[in-house]
Amino acid sequence: MEAGKLMSMKEAVAKHVRDGDTAYLSGFTHMIPFAAGHEIIRQRRKDLVLARATPDIIYDQMIAAGCARKIIFSYAGNPGVGSLRCFRRAHEKGVPAPLEIEEYTHFGLSGRLFAGATNMPFLPMRTNLGSDLPPMNPLMKTVVDPYTGDTTSVVPPLRPDVAVVHVQKADVNGNSHIWGIIGEQKDAAFAAKRVIFSAEEIVDESVIRSDPNRTLVPDFLVHAVVHEPWCSHPSYVQGYYDRDNEFYVEWDKITKEHEATLGYLEEWVFGVADRREYMEKLPAGTMERLKPTPALSVPVDYGSV
Amino acid sequence: MEAGKLMSMKEAVAKHVRDGDTAYLSGFTHMIPFAAGHEIIRQRRKDLVLARATPDIIYDQMIAAGCARKIIFSYAGNPGVGSLRCFRRAHEKGVPAPLEIEEYTHFGLSGRLFAGATNMPFLPMRTNLGSDLPPMNPLMKTVVDPYTGDTTSVVPPLRPDVAVVHVQKADVNGNSHIWGIIGEQKDAAFAAKRVIFSAEEIVDESVIRSDPNRTLVPDFLVHAVVHEPWCSHPSYVQGYYDRDNEFYVEWDKITKEHEATLGYLEEWVFGVADRREYMEKLPAGTMERLKPTPALSVPVDYGSV
Amino acid sequence: MPDVSSTELMVIVAARELKDGESVLVGVGVPNLAANLAKRLHAPRLLMVYESGAVGSNPTRMPLSIGDPCLVSGAKSVCSMYEQFAYYLQGGRIDVGFLGGAQIDRYGNINSTVIGDYAKPKVRLPGSGGACDIASNVKRIIVITPHQKRRFVEKVDFLTSPGFVEGRERWKELKLQGGGPYAVITNLCTFKFDDRTGEMTVAALHEGVTMDQVRENTPWEVKVADDLQTTPPPTDEEVSALRALDPDGIYLR
Amino acid sequence: MPDVSSTELMVIVAARELKDGESVLVGVGVPNLAANLAKRLHAPRLLMVYESGAVGSNPTRMPLSIGDPCLVSGAKSVCSMYEQFAYYLQGGRIDVGFLGGAQIDRYGNINSTVIGDYAKPKVRLPGSGGACDIASNVKRIIVITPHQKRRFVEKVDFLTSPGFVEGRERWKELKLQGGGPYAVITNLCTFKFDDRTGEMTVAALHEGVTMDQVRENTPWEVKVADDLQTTPPPTDEEVSALRALDPDGIYLR
């Protein structure tokens, strides 16, 4: 698993994402791995179970493209904008195909992933009781707290077949530094059986080793490393680019009809070979427009004895 | 709770450490808050329940000084050297006073603190079964896993009355940066009712805000901030000073007899007013000898939109 | 009284409910405006914790989503998603949470999941997100919602986030650590909840609003507080501070 | 065969049991030496995870304790104590763990808690630390211990870290995810564990050692493997590589 982890997104998806997989493309409305989602669509994966707290636009696209048979989620919205129309069309009307749902609260789903990452037998949590969610989901159970006798809600671990995590910096083996809203990235990587990391920059191992407290996941958990600048466009990456917000608003209009949605996928997903072509296709000046002003962290001293 | 958090260790202990408290002086053989322990001894606190996975020399000193009635722990050794003789003398022979014990594995005790920090009703874990530890500790219970029917070990949350955490950098309100072996520092701070932070350096808030992903505990959880350079001597602080290993070895000899131990405390704890006097009393050149070579982290860019 | 939109009115009334020194769990949008407004005016030490794990943020703009980098640059602290819900929310460290939803009933139960049947939805809504977790764990829940008949219902189609469920007795049985619903702020009035029964009760009518208007838009027989108040009108200071927070009118249309 | 101390012999024999690409949970002292020796010789891709949360360390000296900054400077990753035990150990990501103790019985059960009665100890030992957690969760447990009658006992005074408890059947009933004891390496021999019963069985005698010597120092009737081996003697390469790891002889006296 050590040698030759560095590969293209095309190779990584070909090798590690399989029909029928439970896939967790991580990101709590930040660092969404759009490039990975598009490649999964291009390779026409099907029957996927798409898991993520916040499905975001990329899962909407994958659903519209017919990749998914089921979604495990806690908030299916277009973040800051409104509905995910393709998710709704599939679930409400079976277009392009019926979509099964398995639903939690944010705490419940991030808890399932944490329990999967740490291999807990089950996770007790102070939520769910009184809500109509548990009756709809047989995986949400209760146990009696042996200290108080109270009924306690529990969820089971979630172990995706494959996770995709986008980060700012990684070395060729998959040691990586992530900062900003780090959502469920660490737990996704620890919970999944196969793990694809993509990075804005591939850096020398010494950069990672200069600050080991910032490494969320060491390399031995990582199966593929992809150098994929602008992977998350139109989402944001802390320190690298801002959200292309117009697209998030535009998506609401594009997806009013399934046909128009397919037209978008035809042009922007199937119509390009990879992320580089996608970026080249965007209006001139997009990258410059989205670049933030630098704001460096103050270094810390690890010392050497 | 915002105003006037910055105070001396003397004030912090006077204000926040009370007779009979369950106290958690954190650190996994790194960044042990010796200065806080010495001040607690000087102020002659008694009937304390001392909790920590690795009691280390400082709890041995506090036990010899008669501060403790009970210890909650998972490994009572002089790290890298051998026994904690004062702990043993108290527990085996009742000298200077009987010492009750409550014992866990490392996972069990760090789990209790994590459960306390996150207010879990109880924490299921894959350990303890088959060991003789649970029969000796009524707080270790079992529940039936509702997913598999298996018997599962659980521990209850631990909520110390007071926690002491030493860090490298803090601002006057208690936002802080910690790096190196971070042990149970975060969980101790979140679990405790009152929280004392001491820091090698007091820095401007802007230093902390330049790197919020490195902050383990935001200021609103912190009750007192103490500027205490060399707080952890003879233990180490990543990037600031090495362990004064000779003392760890010497402690094993000093503590062969209770009288000699009291002699040490008389000279090095009661015989000084504070940490500054303690450091001045050390042989010339000690600080220089323990200073590591600088090794700075590579900064990351948070950007500003 | 300055001329304000009904959203502006609700945000201003909500901001007044926040006390200095409290911790508030904030999402994006209207609740974010209410918390920021309170902080600018009477609650400078209001602690804002974002659902995405950011604490002590200094955003330079209205965040586009809960994961917006503007919530992190210059913040005091940020943690992972599980950590946010576990250490802060389940940790019992949050005083106030804001919720909204498609439907609400007299006990403050909220539906943000589905209109119609769960298995065969008429309209599928985004779902709980953190709402049920917030409802279960914060000391005071404040709901901001337009006062419309389709939103105030006898029985929610789906109970996403528990209010007092079937009343305060039932809430106690559930042993949730939160304090339950505290206020519902609409464009017509402010409801509080009866200490004994847990039923939504009109505590104050906004200026110029009559109880008849409230009754017309609430399908059940609405309880009214013995000491019914009139909401003090928005001040110039409140309105100008609020508008400065959302100069492009993204949320305040 | 080079002239080696019994500690050196045990470390070399232990190092041979580690396979390239495996993950090992290491403490300080003798196990740290065995893992580092294997890495220098036949297992360059051995992954060393320290109990304190450091991964991929590049220590410039023998660590003074598990929290030594030399394990962090230049490491790949470091995490908190609960995270280490939860993500790595309970996570099932560790292949091999090393244990030692004051007493061990024929099923590999280890006592590192107390000699005498728990409530009225003759000698109070440091306790489990991570030992019970390691015993319960890694695929293979290797024990390194001097072969002394006071250490090998019919019944441990206190069962700190489970071996096969009362045999493999009992182990299975406990549903622990670990593989249980794998080898016990002494200055006289290497024990492995019977596939069926889980009883400690002499697999190899070190050069020049007789079964009588083993029997003299083991209080129960010792089982011997059908294909009893002789431990290949330490090579010059092994000895010099080992001594380079601990030039001051801190652990190799």
Side-chain angles (χ1 to χ4, degrees):
Chain A
M1 181 162 115
E2 289 288 318
K5 283 190 205 171
L6 194 64
M7 58 186 82
S8 68
M9 188 62 87
K10 193 172 173 175
E11 291 170 298
V13 167
K15 200 165 170 185
H16 296 296
V17 183
R18 299 165 195 168
D19 286 350
D21 270 359
T22 295
Y24 202 108
L25 277 62
S26 61
F28 193 6
T29 87
H30 173 231
M31 300 213 287
I32 307 300
F34 272 88
H38 284 187
E39 187 55 39
I40 290 169
I41 294 172
R42 266 195 296 274
Q43 295 194 22
R44 299 191 187 274
R45 287 291 173 284
K46 56 185 197 299
D47 296 327
L48 297 178
V49 176
L50 296 177
R52 180 161 78 222
T54 53
D56 211 293
I57 286 181
I58 186 62
Y59 278 14
D60 217 32
Q61 295 179 352
M62 293 167 79
I63 291 165
C67 299
R69 73 167 179 84
K70 179 176 172 179
I71 186 166
I72 303 176
F73 73 105
S74 45
Y75 188 87
N78 177 341
V81 178
S83 288
L84 290 177
R85 294 182 187 274
C86 305
F87 155 75
R88 285 185 55 189
R89 196 151 36 228
H91 178 54
E92 293 172 10
K93 301 194 175 122
V95 176
L99 183 72
E100 201 186 324
I101 60 171
E102 183 182 316
E103 188 168 3
Y104 298 89
T105 69
H106 269 355
F107 192 25
L109 185 46
S110 63
R112 281 202 64 189
L113 203 63
F114 173 74
T118 60
N119 192 23
M120 297 179 75
F122 57 91
L123 179 73
M125 48 193 357
R126 299 187 190 274
T127 185
N128 298 328
L129 302 174
S131 168
D132 283 344
L133 283 167
M136 298 300 160
N137 185 339
L139 288 176
M140 293 162 79
K141 295 185 185 285
T142 60
V143 301
V144 174
D145 180 333
Y147 299 97
T148 61
D150 293 344
T151 298
T152 306
S153 180
V154 301
V155 294
L158 176 64
R159 291 265 199 193
D161 296 299
V162 61
V164 182
V165 177
H166 187 61
V167 302
Q168 284 101 335
K169 293 180 184 177
D171 69 22
V172 294
N173 292 312
N175 295 298
S176 62
H177 280 173
I178 316 182
W179 61 99
I181 299 298
I182 50 177
E184 10 59 322
Q185 268 89 345
K186 176 175 181 165
D187 289 330
F190 270 94
K193 293 166 199 149
R194 284 166 264 127
V195 181
I196 299 172
F197 266 68
S198 61
E200 290 294 322
E201 292 187 68
I202 299 295
V203 298
D204 192 79
E205 192 176 311
S206 63
V207 173
I208 307 296
R209 286 187 184 271
S210 83
D211 197 357
N213 283 96
R214 202 185 293 283
T215 308
L216 286 197
V217 178
D219 54 9
F220 81 104
L221 292 159
V222 177
H223 296 75
V225 180
V226 179
H227 183 208
E228 196 77 308
W230 293 90
C231 171
S232 292
H233 179 273
S235 172
Y236 15 45
V237 172
Q238 187 91 35
Y240 287 71
Y241 42 91
D242 199 4
R243 182 160 112 165
D244 205 343
N245 202 46
E246 278 168 44
F247 182 79
Y248 272 79
V249 175
E250 186 66 19
W251 183 250
D252 194 54
K253 292 170 198 150
I254 293 170
T255 54
K256 285 213 164 94
E257 303 294 335
H258 180 56
E259 289 309 311
T261 309
L262 293 182
Y264 172 83
L265 296 177
E266 205 50 56
E267 181 174 358
W268 288 91
V269 181
F270 293 109
V272 297
D274 55 20
R275 179 89 329 197
R276 181 193 298 254
E277 279 193 21
Y278 167 94
M279 290 308 295
E280 282 166 0
K281 199 173 156 69
L282 287 171
T286 299
M287 294 193 258
E288 294 70 17
R289 176 169 58 85
L290 298 173
K291 274 276 174 200
T293 315
L296 294 182
S297 65
V298 175
V300 301
D301 187 358
Y302 278 85
S304 175
V305 290
Chain B
M1 180 161 115
E2 288 287 316
K5 284 190 206 171
L6 194 65
M7 58 186 81
S8 68
M9 188 63 86
K10 192 171 175 177
E11 292 170 298
V13 167
K15 200 165 169 185
H16 296 296
V17 184
R18 299 165 194 169
D19 287 350
D21 270 0
T22 295
Y24 202 108
L25 277 62
S26 60
F28 193 6
T29 87
H30 173 230
M31 299 212 289
I32 308 298
F34 272 88
H38 285 187
E39 186 56 39
I40 291 169
I41 294 172
R42 265 194 297 273
Q43 295 192 23
R44 299 191 187 276
R45 286 292 173 283
K46 56 185 198 298
D47 295 328
L48 297 179
V49 176
L50 296 177
R52 182 163 74 222
T54 54
D56 211 293
I57 287 181
I58 186 62
Y59 277 14
D60 217 31
Q61 296 179 351
M62 292 168 79
I63 291 165
C67 299
R69 71 166 180 84
K70 178 175 172 180
I71 185 166
I72 302 176
F73 74 106
S74 45
Y75 187 87
N78 178 340
V81 179
S83 286
L84 290 177
R85 295 181 185 276
C86 305
F87 154 76
R88 285 186 53 189
R89 196 150 40 229
H91 178 53
E92 293 172 10
K93 303 194 174 118
V95 176
L99 184 70
E100 200 187 324
I101 61 172
E102 183 183 315
E103 188 168 3
Y104 298 89
T105 70
H106 269 355
F107 192 26
L109 186 45
S110 63
R112 281 203 64 189
L113 204 62
F114 173 73
T118 60
N119 192 24
M120 295 179 75
F122 57 91
L123 179 73
M125 46 194 358
R126 300 186 189 275
T127 186
N128 298 328
L129 302 175
S131 168
D132 282 345
L133 283 167
M136 299 300 162
N137 186 338
L139 288 178
M140 292 161 80
K141 295 185 186 283
T142 58
V143 300
V144 174
D145 179 333
Y147 299 97
T148 62
D150 293 345
T151 298
T152 305
S153 181
V154 301
V155 294
L158 176 64
R159 291 266 200 189
D161 296 301
V162 62
V164 182
V165 176
H166 186 60
V167 301
Q168 284 101 335
K169 294 180 183 176
D171 68 22
V172 294
N173 291 313
N175 295 299
S176 61
H177 280 174
I178 316 181
W179 60 100
I181 299 296
I182 50 176
E184 9 59 321
Q185 269 88 346
K186 176 175 180 165
D187 290 330
F190 270 94
K193 293 166 198 147
R194 284 166 264 127
V195 181
I196 299 172
F197 267 67
S198 61
E200 290 294 322
E201 292 186 71
I202 300 293
V203 297
D204 191 79
E205 193 178 309
S206 64
V207 173
I208 307 296
R209 287 188 184 270
S210 83
D211 196 357
N213 283 96
R214 202 185 293 284
T215 308
L216 287 197
V217 178
D219 54 9
F220 82 105
L221 292 160
V222 177
H223 297 74
V225 179
V226 179
H227 183 209
E228 196 77 308
W230 293 90
C231 170
S232 292
H233 178 275
S235 170
Y236 15 46
V237 172
Q238 187 91 36
Y240 288 71
Y241 41 90
D242 199 4
R243 183 159 111 164
D244 205 344
N245 203 46
E246 279 168 42
F247 182 80
Y248 271 79
V249 176
E250 186 66 17
W251 184 249
D252 193 55
K253 294 170 196 148
I254 294 169
T255 54
K256 286 213 164 91
E257 303 294 336
H258 181 55
E259 289 309 313
T261 309
L262 292 181
Y264 171 84
L265 295 177
E266 205 51 57
E267 184 176 356
W268 289 91
V269 180
F270 294 108
V272 297
D274 55 19
R275 179 91 324 199
R276 182 192 298 252
E277 279 193 21
Y278 167 95
M279 290 308 297
E280 281 166 1
K281 199 174 158 68
L282 287 171
T286 299
M287 292 193 260
E288 292 71 16
R289 176 169 57 83
L290 298 173
K291 273 277 173 199
T293 315
L296 294 183
S297 65
V298 176
V300 301
D301 186 358
Y302 279 84
S304 175
V305 289
Chain C
M1 163 176 152
D3 188 29
V4 295
S5 73
S6 53
T7 303
E8 286 174 329
L9 176 64
M10 291 191 286
V11 171
I12 288 167
V13 174
R16 291 172 182 171
E17 294 289 350
L18 299 172
K19 302 185 188 90
D20 198 21
E22 285 188 316
S23 54
V24 188
L25 192 80
V26 238
V28 295
V30 164
N32 184 39
L33 284 171
N36 272 296
L37 180 61
K39 198 175 168 80
R40 295 280 189 296
L41 298 176
H42 62 278
R45 298 185 313 123
L46 193 72
L47 180 81
M48 287 163 67
V49 178
Y50 287 86
E51 201 179 56
S52 51
V55 178
S57 303
N58 266 332
T60 50
R61 67 170 180 208
M62 293 291 296
L64 300 175
S65 80
I66 199 69
D68 194 323
C70 78
L71 297 174
V72 175
S73 298
K76 287 177 178 174
S77 171
V78 62
C79 64
S80 78
M81 187 172 182
Y82 181 73
E83 288 176 322
Q84 200 282 342
F85 283 89
Y87 284 93
Y88 292 96
L89 201 52
Q90 181 170 263
R93 291 186 175 82
I94 308 294
D95 295 310
V96 182
F98 285 99
L99 294 180
Q103 296 179 329
I104 185 166
D105 72 13
R106 75 180 72 193
Y107 292 112
N109 300 305
I110 292 175
N111 173 17
S112 59
T113 300
V114 66
I115 302 297
D117 184 59
Y118 185 76
K120 292 196 186 307
K122 211 164 97 188
V123 180
R124 175 62 220 204
L125 306 164
S128 165
C132 174
D133 312 314
I134 295 168
S136 308
N137 288 287
V138 308
K139 296 191 182 70
R140 300 194 290 135
I141 288 290
I142 300 177
V143 177
I144 302 177
T145 179
H147 209 135
Q148 298 160 336
K149 221 164 183 166
R150 65 182 173 96
R151 290 177 183 269
F152 284 76
V153 296
E154 271 287 353
K155 186 174 170 11
V156 290
D157 290 6
F158 187 94
L159 198 170
T160 310
S161 306
F164 291 118
V165 191
E166 298 142 21
R168 283 194 193 263
E169 283 308 311
R170 178 67 186 133
W171 176 261
K172 274 179 209 151
E173 283 166 23
L174 290 174
K175 300 272 185 82
L176 296 168
Q177 73 170 327
Y182 173 78
V184 176
I185 293 161
T186 79
N187 49 312
L188 300 180
C189 67
T190 297
F191 291 101
K192 297 270 166 97
F193 288 82
D194 188 86
D195 284 344
R196 195 174 50 77
T197 63
E199 188 174 336
M200 205 186 281
T201 305
V202 182
L205 292 171
H206 301 337
E207 216 178 37
V209 175
T210 65
M211 268 310 299
D212 280 351
Q213 280 174 278
V214 172
R215 287 196 186 98
E216 262 167 44
N217 291 284
T218 319
W220 65 81
E221 200 179 315
V222 187
K223 294 276 198 316
V224 183
D226 295 340
D227 59 339
L228 179 68
Q229 310 282 311
T230 302
T231 309
T235 65
D236 289 335
E237 192 194 3
E238 286 171 327
V239 174
S240 59
L242 175 57
R243 289 179 182 166
L245 289 170
D246 183 20
D248 301 331
I250 297 173
Y251 297 104
L252 296 174
R253 303 148 288 199
Chain D
M1 163 173 153
D3 189 28
V4 295
S5 73
S6 54
T7 304
E8 287 173 329
L9 177 63
M10 290 191 286
V11 171
I12 287 166
V13 174
R16 292 172 183 170
E17 294 289 351
L18 299 172
K19 301 185 188 92
D20 197 24
E22 284 189 317
S23 55
V24 189
L25 193 79
V26 239
V28 295
V30 164
N32 185 38
L33 284 171
N36 272 294
L37 180 61
K39 198 175 167 77
R40 295 279 189 295
L41 298 176
H42 62 278
R45 296 185 316 125
L46 194 72
L47 181 81
M48 290 163 65
V49 178
Y50 288 86
E51 200 178 59
S52 51
V55 178
S57 302
N58 267 332
T60 50
R61 68 172 180 207
M62 293 290 296
L64 300 175
S65 80
I66 199 68
D68 194 323
C70 78
L71 297 174
V72 175
S73 297
K76 287 178 179 175
S77 172
V78 60
C79 64
S80 80
M81 187 172 182
Y82 181 72
E83 288 177 322
Q84 200 283 342
F85 283 89
Y87 284 94
Y88 291 96
L89 201 53
Q90 181 170 264
R93 291 186 176 82
I94 309 294
D95 295 310
V96 182
F98 286 100
L99 295 180
Q103 296 179 329
I104 186 167
D105 72 14
R106 73 180 71 191
Y107 292 112
N109 300 305
I110 292 175
N111 173 16
S112 58
T113 300
V114 68
I115 303 296
D117 184 61
Y118 185 77
K120 293 195 185 307
K122 213 165 96 188
V123 180
R124 174 62 220 206
L125 306 165
S128 164
C132 173
D133 311 315
I134 294 168
S136 309
N137 287 288
V138 307
K139 297 190 181 71
R140 301 194 288 136
I141 288 291
I142 299 178
V143 177
I144 301 177
T145 180
H147 209 137
Q148 298 161 338
K149 222 164 182 165
R150 65 181 174 97
R151 289 177 184 268
F152 284 75
V153 296
E154 272 286 353
K155 187 174 169 10
V156 291
D157 290 6
F158 188 94
L159 198 170
T160 311
S161 306
F164 291 118
V165 192
E166 298 142 19
R168 283 195 194 262
E169 283 307 312
R170 178 67 186 130
W171 177 262
K172 272 178 211 153
E173 282 166 25
L174 290 173
K175 301 270 184 85
L176 297 168
Q177 73 169 326
Y182 173 78
V184 176
I185 293 161
T186 80
N187 48 313
L188 300 181
C189 66
T190 297
F191 291 101
K192 298 270 164 97
F193 288 81
D194 189 87
D195 283 344
R196 198 175 48 80
T197 64
E199 187 174 337
M200 206 186 281
T201 305
V202 182
L205 291 170
H206 300 336
E207 215 176 39
V209 176
T210 65
M211 267 309 300
D212 280 352
Q213 280 174 278
V214 172
R215 288 197 186 95
E216 262 166 43
N217 290 284
T218 317
W220 65 80
E221 200 180 313
V222 187
K223 293 276 198 317
V224 183
D226 294 340
D227 58 340
L228 181 67
Q229 309 282 311
T230 302
T231 308
T235 65
D236 290 335
E237 192 195 4
E238 285 171 327
V239 175
S240 59
L242 175 57
R243 288 178 183 166
L245 288 171
D246 184 19
D248 302 332
I250 298 173
Y251 297 103
L252 296 175
R253 306 146 284 201

